[in-house]
Amino acid sequence: MHEKIIILDFGSQTTQLIGRRVRELNTYCEIIPYNKFPFDDKTVKGVILSGSPYSVNDTNAFKADLTSIRKKYPVLGICYGAQYLAYSSNGKVESADSREYGRAHLTYLNGDDPLLQGIPTGSQVWMSHGDTITVLPDNFRIIASTEDVKAGAYKIEGEETWGVQFHPEVYHTKDGTQLLDNFLKICGCAKDWTPASFIESTVAELKEQLKDDKVILALSGGVDSSVTAVLLNKAIGKNLTCIFVDHGLLRKNEFENVLKDYEHLGLNVIDVNAKDKFYRELAGVTDPEAKRKIIGKGFIDVFDEEAHKLKDIKWLGQGTIYPDIIESLSITGTVIKSHHNVGGLPEKMNLKLVEPLRLLFKDEVRRVGTELGMMPHLIKRHPFPGPGLGIRILGDITAEKVQILQEADDIYMSLMREWGLYDEIWQAGAILLPIRSVGVMGDERTYENTIALRAVTSTDAMTADWAHLPYDFLAKVSNDIINKVKGVNRVVYDISSKPPATIEWE
Ligand code: XMP
């Protein structure tokens, strides 16, 4: 078992970020609702209290009993966490005159304090709170201040407990990683959580858990399901059967190319060509949610049928990752993403679930994949929606439209790779619009389809910015698509950000 840091979640939007920073420092951590501290867990080395959307003075604020945590473990309160420590020790927290938001600098710091080792005076920190500590309890000692916030950071005498009213986890706090690293040092963490150590312990656990049982897994071509498959394959080899369904809505040659990659990785894959079934069921359907439902259900039907041809399957493998789990545990009632890969399958098939990546963040999944020797193009692949081109062909879907879109998309994505832009973009693709417009080609009047190009930058798909692609690049893509793809005479570029637009058009 790995030693760990517990991050008690009081509902802040940056709680996940604290987790990622700690993991980047090669230390395993878990994000737990503020009132669910795992008192029986012997591997806990320290505790971080997160920020919160509430003020400690709100009647419905999240309040945890910290008496059995303080003095037993080193504790670091961040923002609300720091204010709550002060408030629950008879200090005073009040609404700040002006909401303290944005950049500030450490005008004073106590360089002898172990939490602030290596951080210079003047270092930039990021503030984001409406409240501030106005009266510190007697045994709280200020160790850093900013221009406006006297109790920028404090240490509680007689215990290893600290509070910082700024956010060390965000990028704009220049020495935030140093501060978190100092805290891990205080906790005595060995910092040995690496992709290699994760693989070693997970493979051992999977062997123990699964023994000689058989497992099936749906592959999508995406990073999460692919890494899940390779990890399970390492643990149980031929007892893993993967099913890869071609619903006819993948990118050009994607199915064949990814299938080759999977075989190269030694996976035991059943490939199913179900294009006709999907095209048949989708004929004439225009409503986006209806299309999603048909594709989702069709996928489950095909998977179920294939699975029934196999004998003695006990487990269903899934590529669930940590953000999915945190969302489903969320204390603030965030709805779980409705986009879940193969929702509904475990219930229908009466199988037990095995989800070896359930505690990893996306960037960790990629690092594990690389450590497992997977090809960079499989690991760095952009996200691609389960319903595929089905939600990038606006309106009804036909085999002919799929072909037009595949050709246009292929030109776009190939050029993006050629121009070295692919890795800078979170996600990109072409969309076939349900309108025709007039054009001229040679002496002929044309009346053809319009292709929209989409490219966004993002860190988590919750918000996204349209990518400022070079004009020369857009010009080349537009020219090539119009010259080479029969049936297209116009190309436009989508310059909407999310929110209020979404990444996909449907
Ligand atoms: P939106 O369009 O909501 O997309 O901004 C956010 C992310 O989710 C992907 N997406 C889907 N993924 N099934 C999926 O598996 C879906 O129905 C679906 N719709 C959107 C989208 O590609 C982006 O990465």
Side-chain angles (χ1 to χ4, degrees):
M1 282 302 274
H2 275 280
E3 57 184 31
K4 66 176 76 130
I5 294 292
I6 292 295
I7 299 166
L8 282 185
D9 182 15
F10 289 86
S12 166
Q13 288 188 341
T14 60
T15 305
Q16 274 203 38
L17 208 48
I18 304 174
R20 278 166 53 186
R21 293 283 172 268
V22 172
R23 298 269 187 104
E24 278 163 18
L25 291 163
N26 294 335
T27 303
Y28 181 65
C29 61
E30 284 182 11
I31 296 172
I32 306 278
Y34 69 98
N35 54 358
K36 299 263 162 61
F37 190 86
F39 287 104
D40 297 339
D41 191 333
K42 300 281 180 275
T43 62
V44 177
K45 301 284 283 184
V47 182
I48 297 179
L49 314 175
S50 83
S52 173
Y54 289 110
S55 154
V56 292
N57 297 310
D58 288 345
T59 44
N60 47 357
F62 298 131
K63 289 182 180 154
D65 180 4
L66 301 176
T67 42
S68 319
I69 297 174
R70 278 170 60 177
K71 295 192 176 162
K72 184 169 177 202
Y73 308 100
V75 174
L76 173 64
I78 294 177
C79 194
Y80 174 96
Q83 292 162 359
Y84 181 67
L85 279 165
Y87 168 89
S88 57
S89 303
N90 296 321
K92 204 164 179 185
V93 175
E94 290 177 286
S95 173
D97 291 342
S98 58
R99 205 179 134 73
E100 283 163 336
Y101 188 84
R103 284 181 183 78
H105 298 87
L106 296 178
T107 47
Y108 156 78
L109 66 80
N110 176 352
D112 292 336
D113 191 281
L115 189 71
L116 302 177
Q117 290 302 300
I119 303 178
T121 315
S123 184
Q124 176 178 299
V125 296
W126 191 259
M127 293 286 186
S128 171
H129 49 229
D131 279 359
T132 196
I133 302 171
T134 49
V135 180
L136 267 186
D138 285 345
N139 55 339
F140 285 42
R141 289 282 163 270
I142 291 176
I143 55 168
S145 312
T146 67
E147 298 92 333
D148 296 325
V149 183
K150 198 143 185 291
Y154 62 75
K155 154 104 171 57
I156 306 182
E157 280 182 353
E159 56 187 282
E160 290 199 297
T161 301
W162 286 262
V164 293
Q165 291 205 79
F166 53 87
H167 286 271
E169 70 279 19
V170 307
Y171 169 77
H172 302 284
T173 295
K174 207 172 151 289
D175 294 302
T177 304
Q178 177 71 56
L179 188 147
L180 291 172
D181 197 21
N182 291 341
F183 181 66
L184 298 181
K185 212 172 278 159
I186 291 166
C187 297
C189 293
K191 297 184 40 179
D192 55 2
W193 166 258
T194 58
S197 70
F198 169 81
I199 293 167
E200 193 189 320
S201 59
T202 306
V203 166
E205 282 162 27
L206 287 170
K207 280 186 175 156
E208 173 67 27
Q209 181 184 18
L210 301 171
K211 300 198 173 69
D212 283 329
D213 288 356
K214 298 208 162 106
V215 180
I216 46 166
L217 171 83
L219 287 170
S220 69
V223 182
D224 302 344
S225 68
S226 304
V227 175
T228 304
V230 175
L231 205 51
L232 278 166
N233 186 49
K234 201 169 158 74
I236 61 166
K238 293 294 168 209
N239 276 342
L240 170 70
T241 304
C242 303
I243 297 176
F244 187 28
V245 180
D246 187 358
H247 54 18
L249 300 163
L250 294 173
R251 298 190 132 122
K252 185 181 176 185
N253 297 331
E254 178 100 334
F255 191 72
E256 296 74 14
N257 291 340
V258 174
L259 191 58
K260 266 191 223 133
D261 286 342
Y262 284 150
E263 281 164 0
H264 191 72
L265 287 165
L267 299 178
N268 173 19
V269 185
I270 297 176
D271 56 301
V272 189
N273 178 345
K275 285 183 192 177
D276 291 343
K277 168 189 164 70
F278 282 89
Y279 292 162
R280 199 170 51 241
E281 290 174 0
L282 286 165
V285 181
T286 55
D287 177 64
E289 288 307 305
K291 290 198 283 185
R292 272 199 175 80
K293 284 212 180 83
I294 291 170
I295 297 166
K297 179 173 177 305
F299 184 82
I300 291 179
D301 289 348
V302 174
F303 189 83
D304 197 27
E305 195 184 322
E306 292 302 319
H308 273 102
K309 293 182 194 161
L310 304 166
K311 296 235 158 39
D312 304 326
I313 301 287
K314 292 227 173 69
W315 298 82
L316 176 72
Q318 271 195 326
T320 313
I321 66 171
Y322 203 35
D324 305 329
I325 307 261
I326 300 172
E327 273 182 35
S328 62
L329 285 176
S330 169
I331 49 172
T332 42
T334 325
V335 183
I336 307 169
K337 267 186 207 142
S338 63
H339 303 145
H340 217 301
N341 298 349
V342 276
L345 265 178
E347 296 81 4
K348 178 165 173 161
M349 302 178 66
N350 200 15
L351 295 172
K352 290 187 274 188
L353 266 183
V354 53
E355 302 175 309
L357 306 182
R358 61 194 297 280
L359 295 173
L360 297 194
F361 291 106
K362 191 89 180 179
D363 46 344
E364 291 179 302
V365 174
R366 293 202 161 107
R367 277 158 60 200
V368 165
T370 304
E371 183 74 28
L372 284 164
M374 295 170 68
M375 312 77 161
H377 66 266
L378 257 186
I379 299 293
K380 290 192 171 171
R381 177 160 298 181
H382 287 173
F384 186 71
L389 302 182
I391 54 167
R392 292 186 182 168
I393 294 171
L394 306 200
D396 72 315
I397 295 166
T398 63
E400 189 202 350
K401 288 185 185 175
V402 170
Q403 209 224 333
I404 291 176
L405 183 56
Q406 279 180 336
E407 294 300 328
D409 178 77
D410 187 51
I411 291 172
Y412 183 33
M413 300 314 289
S414 303
L415 283 170
M416 191 169 270
R417 285 200 172 86
E418 239 171 70
W419 283 55
L421 296 165
Y422 187 88
D423 291 342
E424 287 170 32
I425 301 295
W426 167 268
Q427 185 171 0
I431 298 109
L432 181 65
L433 304 188
I435 49 164
R436 286 169 174 239
S437 72
V438 174
V440 54
M441 211 172 250
D443 294 331
E444 301 267 319
R445 173 188 190 273
T446 59
Y447 188 52
E448 301 282 15
N449 294 293
T450 305
I451 287 284
L453 305 177
R454 184 82 164 129
V456 296
T457 54
S458 177
T459 50
D460 55 8
M462 303 297 280
T463 62
D465 231 344
W466 62 275
H468 295 213
L469 293 175
Y471 280 181
D472 292 351
F473 169 75
L474 289 170
K476 170 79 177 148
V477 175
S478 163
N479 253 322
D480 280 13
I481 290 179
I482 293 173
N483 287 332
K484 293 182 187 162
V485 184
K486 213 165 156 277
V488 176
N489 67 353
R490 194 174 294 272
V491 172
V492 298
Y493 187 53
D494 181 352
I495 52 167
S496 334
S497 291
K498 171 182 180 176
T502 50
I503 296 176
E504 304 294 344
W505 279 44
E506 282 197 336

